[in-house]
Amino acid sequence: MNKKLLFAIFCVLNLVMNAQENARNQENDIAEFQLEDGSSFKANSVNAVTKTINMGQLIVHNRISAFQYTTQAGEKTKEINSKDVKKIIYYNGDEISQIQEKIKVKTVDKKGGLSNDTAETFEYLLYDGKIKLYSSNVFECMGLNACYYTHSNFYIQKSGEPYTVLAVKQKSQFNSKMGSSIENIVDAFRAVAGDCSSFNQYLNSFEKEMMQEKHLDKTLQKEYQEIYKTTLQEVKKDREQTKRLFYIVGDKIQNRQAEIYIGIIKEYEKNCP
């Protein structure tokens, strides 16, 4: 589906990015802010404030600049700068539902080298093991109120290391394909895993069989388009769900791609002490 058609659909749907963020946060009853200075506090009604980046007519929402919150019902909303926040733990009742952390990020090149520069971003923790997996969905907007899902960023971090590695191919915001490319997945895992011969042998096999012979990246791109089409059919009779189409699509595609990452992480856990 080309980009013009996607934008046309979105103008009809009038999907608003902030509504998506609020819908996600309303699932959580209480949040605990852990700050860089070592202190913490409990809050309600947490809402991320994203930094707006203009690219001509396009607006990209991804970077979190602040968090809005209240500490009790009926209280005036307060705001805290993201640079002062280390982690947010979201609770649904007594259970932890999500963890959002500030992470340091490096990128990897095809030679397996890591960037000298290190960026910071807030990401949701999807898997916590010998290698942690973080992720977030990226949306692109035409104007202020027509936004659609473009791709998911995935970051991997070996336990005890100070930084994560961006494990997807860096994607142009103007790419009309939906979902992320996993072209860099093997190089990213090599950079994170270090010297573990049995796991590196597994990566050699994965690269040869899945990436080169079975063209996994291209297969996933086709799956993402099918997820979009199927979801559109599922929600089109429900007005409220239709408004959240690309939020739902983004989560489904993110979950599908996360299966690939977690599968590789489990191989690392099985093969490396």
Side-chain angles (χ1 to χ4, degrees):
M1 181 175 293
N2 63 44
K3 180 163 290 189
K4 290 183 179 179
L5 182 55
L6 283 174
F7 275 134
I9 291 173
F10 244 123
C11 288
V12 173
L13 297 179
N14 193 30
L15 179 65
V16 181
M17 181 65 176
N18 288 339
Q20 294 178 343
E21 291 297 328
N22 290 336
R24 167 170 288 197
N25 290 317
Q26 284 171 1
E27 297 173 359
N28 303 292
D29 298 323
I30 298 174
E32 179 185 352
F33 279 80
Q34 296 184 0
L35 306 185
E36 292 287 1
D37 63 8
S39 63
S40 64
F41 64 88
K42 295 289 181 67
N44 297 288
S45 305
V46 178
N47 181 45
V49 179
T50 55
K51 183 178 180 180
T52 299
I53 304 171
N54 293 297
M55 295 184 178
Q57 289 184 305
L58 295 178
I59 298 174
V60 179
H61 294 265
N62 192 33
R63 296 292 181 185
I64 295 174
S65 59
F67 292 95
Q68 295 176 340
Y69 66 93
T70 60
T71 53
Q72 57 186 357
E75 181 184 60
K76 184 178 179 181
T77 300
K78 300 177 182 179
E79 186 169 296
I80 185 169
N81 195 303
S82 62
K83 70 180 180 63
D84 298 321
V85 179
K86 183 177 182 180
K87 178 191 295 188
I88 306 174
I89 303 174
Y90 298 96
Y91 292 90
N92 195 332
D94 294 329
E95 300 294 325
I96 294 177
S97 59
Q98 291 178 316
I99 295 176
Q100 190 176 21
E101 290 186 63
K102 181 190 292 176
I103 58 174
K104 298 181 183 297
V105 182
K106 288 183 178 291
T107 56
V108 62
D109 58 34
K110 288 188 176 181
K111 295 182 180 179
L114 293 177
S115 62
N116 292 323
D117 296 333
T118 304
E120 284 189 344
T121 181
F122 276 91
E123 304 295 331
Y124 287 96
L125 178 64
L126 297 189
Y127 184 86
D128 189 359
K130 289 183 178 179
I131 292 178
K132 292 183 176 182
L133 178 66
Y134 296 88
S135 181
S136 67
N137 293 335
V138 180
F139 292 82
E140 185 177 285
C141 304
M142 176 67 81
L144 295 176
N145 52 344
C147 307
Y148 70 92
Y149 165 80
T150 63
H151 64 285
S152 301
N153 284 328
F154 286 86
Y155 310 81
I156 53 178
Q157 180 181 27
K158 187 176 180 180
S159 180
E161 291 294 331
Y163 53 81
T164 66
V165 174
L166 178 64
V168 301
K169 182 180 179 181
Q170 296 187 71
K171 181 175 180 178
S172 167
Q173 297 296 330
F174 300 95
N175 193 321
S176 60
K177 291 183 179 180
M178 186 180 298
S180 304
S181 167
I182 60 169
E183 182 179 322
N184 290 347
I185 192 170
V186 172
D187 292 320
F189 270 101
R190 288 194 198 285
V192 169
D195 187 17
C196 178
S197 60
S198 55
F199 180 67
N200 281 308
Q201 289 174 12
Y202 163 79
L203 288 177
N204 289 340
S205 297
F206 182 90
E207 183 173 37
K208 181 177 183 295
E209 296 172 11
M210 300 303 296
M211 300 297 290
Q212 296 174 2
E213 295 177 1
K214 295 186 178 180
H215 305 288
L216 178 60
D217 199 19
K218 290 183 179 179
T219 300
L220 287 173
Q221 293 294 331
K222 292 178 181 178
E223 284 189 31
Y224 301 155
Q225 294 297 327
E226 189 60 35
I227 286 172
Y228 168 79
K229 294 175 185 177
T230 302
T231 305
L232 179 60
Q233 291 299 314
E234 290 173 352
V235 306
K236 67 180 183 179
K237 293 182 180 179
D238 186 324
R239 184 175 180 181
E240 291 305 311
Q241 289 290 87
T242 301
K243 290 179 181 179
R244 300 179 63 244
L245 170 63
F246 278 84
Y247 174 68
I248 298 169
V249 167
D251 279 352
K252 286 184 177 182
I253 293 177
Q254 182 188 44
N255 289 341
R256 175 65 184 100
Q257 195 161 339
E259 292 175 2
I260 307 298
Y261 285 93
I262 293 173
I264 297 175
I265 291 171
K266 288 187 179 294
E267 288 293 330
Y268 176 82
E269 293 176 332
K270 182 171 67 175
N271 287 285
C272 306

